[in-house]
Amino acid sequence: MARTNLSEEDEGKRVVNNRGDEVGVISGYRGGHAYVDPDPGITDKIMSTLGWENVDDDDYKLDSSQVASIDDDEVRLKSNM
C-alpha cells in the first residue's frame, strides 16, 4: 500500500494532481503539515531538495488527508482536490 503520511523527507518533491499535472513543490514541513509552493523558482527547488525549509506567505498548507499517495519523486493529491 502506498504511503500517504507527509513528513520532512518529502521536502523538495513535486506535488501533482490526480491527473499527474504538477501543481507545485513541497517547500517545507512543520507542525505536522507540508507546505506547497505553487510557483517555485530554481532557488526554491534547490533549497527544498537540500532540506532547507523555505516556506513563504504564499505557500499553501497540505494535510496528509489530502494525499492519495507518496513515492520517491512526487506527492499525488486525491481526486477531489
Side-chain angles (χ1 to χ4, degrees):
M1 181 170 216
R3 180 171 70 90
T4 59
N5 291 325
L6 294 160
S7 70
E8 288 181 9
E9 70 184 46
D10 298 316
E11 288 180 27
K13 290 184 181 179
R14 295 177 341 121
V15 179
V16 298
N17 63 20
N18 66 318
R19 294 181 308 275
D21 301 321
E22 186 170 342
V23 296
V25 66
I26 302 290
S27 60
Y29 182 86
R30 63 171 93 136
H33 299 280
Y35 288 84
V36 178
D37 185 341
D39 188 28
I42 188 69
T43 302
D44 296 327
K45 288 181 180 181
I46 291 169
M47 289 179 69
S48 293
T49 301
L50 293 172
W52 298 346
E53 190 172 279
N54 189 33
V55 176
D56 296 325
D57 291 337
D58 60 344
D59 291 0
Y60 296 93
K61 184 167 63 170
L62 180 63
D63 189 82
S64 291
S65 67
Q66 299 169 300
V67 174
S69 65
I70 302 170
D71 65 25
D72 292 338
D73 301 314
E74 68 183 25
V75 174
R76 185 170 293 265
L77 301 177
K78 291 182 177 177
S79 61
N80 60 351
M81 297 293 114

